[in-house]
Amino acid sequence: MVRVDIDVNGRGYRWPREPVVVICVDGCEPDYITQAIVAGVAPFLAALTEGGTCLTADCVVPSFTNPNNLSIVTGVPPSVHGICGNYFWDRETGAEVMMNDPKYLRTGTILAAFAAEGAKVAVVTAKDKLRGLLGHKLGGVCFSAEKADRVHRATHGIDDAVERVGMAVPDVYSAELSEFVFAAGVKLLARDRLDLMYLSTTDYVQHKAAPGTPQANAFYAMMDRYLGELDAMGAVIVLTADHGMNAKTDAFGRPSIVYLQDRLDGWYGERMARVILPITDPYVVHHGALGSFATAYLPAKHLPDAARRLAELPGVEAVLGREEACERFELPPDRVGDLVILGERLTVLGSSVAKHDLSGLAVPLRSHGGVSEQRVPLIANRRTSDLTANRRWRNFDAFDLALNYLP
Ligand SMILES: [Zn+2]
């Protein structure tokens, strides 16, 4: 029986007795951890086979960064918190906009609720795009590795982040940007007795390197060292991911892309349809704004025909109407197009050939967004015998697991 101390978005959470650290490892397909353990470079994670908990959870579809990070820190799906992409078509203003602004957030976070009750809370994110959303109304520390040298006590709850971490601010496209997040977590916990901490990395490495490759194993070896340090300080750790990651190429390593806007323009005339790719964010170099989820707005008279023709395209896994998609994936209907298009595991969905700059793709494309990237790890450094059988765990159960189930 779970004793509830605080209610957030319809769920009860116990007050942390020891520091609780929830970590979102961006793009962490479960196999990255498996392969790092097999290679012998992740001894801390390997030891959790004995003393920890290992579940496989489902992330939110679209399997993108913002919807999932916000689901994890609110404990509810996008139908409740409102963030269903990195990017969307704002029907109210008639503009395509980034969904980075907290004004799009429709509910509070677990972090802010605990801080409001007096908990010491810290959030460190790799990219600054997430800081505003994760730190919404949060009375505590919240900063990004990307802009760690531009923090102020009044706005970030800290004014010496770089000095405290002891690392120079890394390049936004680097593995070190995520290392900075882990290093900051260790340093913050070492100095302050925190109650709750949320760490969120970037998937720079996962977009480039498959599980088990030297670059991937080096990343997980680095992560493993920091996890060991957090564990040694007595933290309860729950690690999950915002989404998985897959190759999106043919056997020669060439990207498999279905250009939806070009197809719709060809069928119904230019600008009759509007294709939105919610993976779009300010950092597109490593994926060219190509993912396996898209949504399209188009005149009602073309909908049945478009749904049928899109579904017939090789590489398209499914085409759903708005209502069906929002029910299946728990999305807010007012922020989703008339059709939702899902790419297969090896295929990404683009808009127009001319709109995608693929010159930054130095290695074969790896990306995410679809149902094929929905399975993610949900791992803890404590063992519990209290887990309900047959529960469908979600990555946004991370705080539930950490606070309500782990000893
Ligand atoms: Zn991500």
Side-chain angles (χ1 to χ4, degrees):
M1 188 62 190
V2 172
R3 185 174 65 84
V4 170
D5 289 317
I6 185 165
D7 196 283
V8 191
N9 300 325
R11 281 219 243 192
Y13 297 94
R14 284 192 311 201
W15 198 263
R17 286 157 296 170
E18 291 161 287
V20 163
V21 183
V22 171
I23 303 171
C24 177
V25 181
D26 201 320
C28 186
E29 185 74 20
D31 198 34
Y32 280 109
I33 292 175
T34 314
Q35 294 305 323
I37 290 173
V38 168
V41 299
F44 175 75
L45 286 162
L48 293 185
T49 320
E50 297 298 325
T53 299
C54 188
L55 301 162
T56 302
D58 284 339
C59 77
V60 163
V61 173
S63 47
F64 293 134
T65 300
N66 288 18
N68 278 286
N69 268 274
L70 270 296
S71 293
I72 294 168
V73 298
T74 59
V76 287
S79 54
V80 181
H81 63 68
I83 307 298
C84 57
N86 306 338
Y87 186 81
F88 86 121
W89 164 247
D90 188 343
R91 271 190 276 192
E92 277 174 36
T93 59
E96 296 181 21
V97 289
M98 295 292 164
M99 227 188 271
N100 292 351
D101 196 308
K103 74 181 178 190
Y104 297 117
L105 197 52
R106 291 174 167 163
T107 187
T109 69
I110 298 164
L111 303 162
F114 270 93
E117 293 296 321
K120 284 194 93 168
V121 179
V123 175
V124 186
T125 165
K127 292 178 183 172
D128 205 61
K129 68 169 180 177
L130 266 172
R131 194 185 60 81
L133 290 168
L134 295 177
H136 185 51
K137 294 189 174 168
L138 173 65
V141 173
C142 183
F143 65 95
S144 70
E146 180 186 355
K147 295 191 176 168
D149 55 349
R150 276 164 280 174
V151 295
H152 304 283
R153 186 158 291 276
T155 45
H156 300 73
I158 188 169
D159 48 20
D160 59 348
V162 173
E163 296 75 8
R164 193 91 76 87
V165 177
M167 257 179 89
V169 174
D171 187 86
V172 71
Y173 296 109
S174 71
E176 287 73 27
L177 197 72
S178 293
E179 176 163 7
F180 192 100
V181 173
F182 289 117
V186 167
K187 289 288 166 60
L188 289 172
L189 193 61
R191 202 177 95 163
D192 299 321
R193 183 73 185 172
L194 292 166
D195 296 300
L196 280 184
M197 181 154 66
Y198 183 67
L199 304 176
S200 182
T201 67
T202 159
D203 55 9
Y204 170 83
V205 168
Q206 290 79 2
H207 270 290
K208 287 194 176 308
T213 55
Q215 197 184 356
N217 281 348
F219 180 89
Y220 285 88
M222 173 277 290
M223 185 177 92
D224 192 81
R225 288 193 298 274
Y226 287 104
L227 293 177
E229 289 189 50
L230 292 169
D231 179 76
M233 284 189 274
V236 172
I237 303 170
V238 168
L239 180 152
T240 190
D242 54 348
H243 51 78
M245 187 71 73
N246 275 304
K248 299 291 179 181
T249 47
D250 65 14
F252 289 166
R254 297 173 300 202
S256 310
I257 311 170
V258 177
Y259 288 104
L260 298 172
Q261 187 72 53
D262 288 345
R263 296 294 187 135
L264 291 163
D265 286 354
W267 295 334
Y268 309 117
E270 287 206 14
R271 285 194 285 276
M272 287 297 280
R274 179 189 298 275
V275 172
I276 299 288
L277 305 174
I279 191 174
T280 309
D281 74 5
Y283 322 78
V284 297
V285 172
H286 52 319
H287 53 63
L290 293 162
S292 298
F293 182 102
T295 184
Y297 294 83
L298 63 170
K301 63 177 177 184
H302 295 314
L303 278 177
D305 184 63
R308 183 182 55 76
R309 294 171 84 159
L310 288 169
E312 285 171 357
L313 296 174
V316 170
E317 182 171 303
V319 179
L320 309 174
R322 175 189 291 117
E323 203 176 313
E324 190 186 359
C326 289
E327 193 182 313
R328 178 170 165 196
F329 301 129
E330 300 170 282
L331 302 174
D334 59 323
R335 292 177 177 175
V336 172
D338 301 297
L339 295 176
V340 162
I341 304 103
L342 294 160
E344 287 177 351
R345 184 173 71 86
L346 295 174
T347 305
V348 284
L349 305 171
S351 147
S352 309
V353 174
K355 274 195 171 178
H356 294 272
D357 178 10
L358 304 184
S359 62
L361 295 178
V363 292
L365 178 66
R366 300 174 55 74
S367 195
H368 51 96
V371 174
S372 44
E373 290 79 38
Q374 199 177 14
R375 294 272 196 270
V376 292
L378 183 63
I379 291 174
N381 66 336
R382 305 281 168 97
R383 173 157 286 186
T384 173
S385 52
D386 195 24
L387 300 179
T388 319
N390 302 327
R391 172 169 171 176
R392 181 198 182 199
W393 286 90
R394 309 298 304 270
N395 60 349
F396 59 84
D397 295 325
F399 281 97
D400 184 31
L401 177 65
L403 293 165
N404 295 337
Y405 289 93
L406 299 181

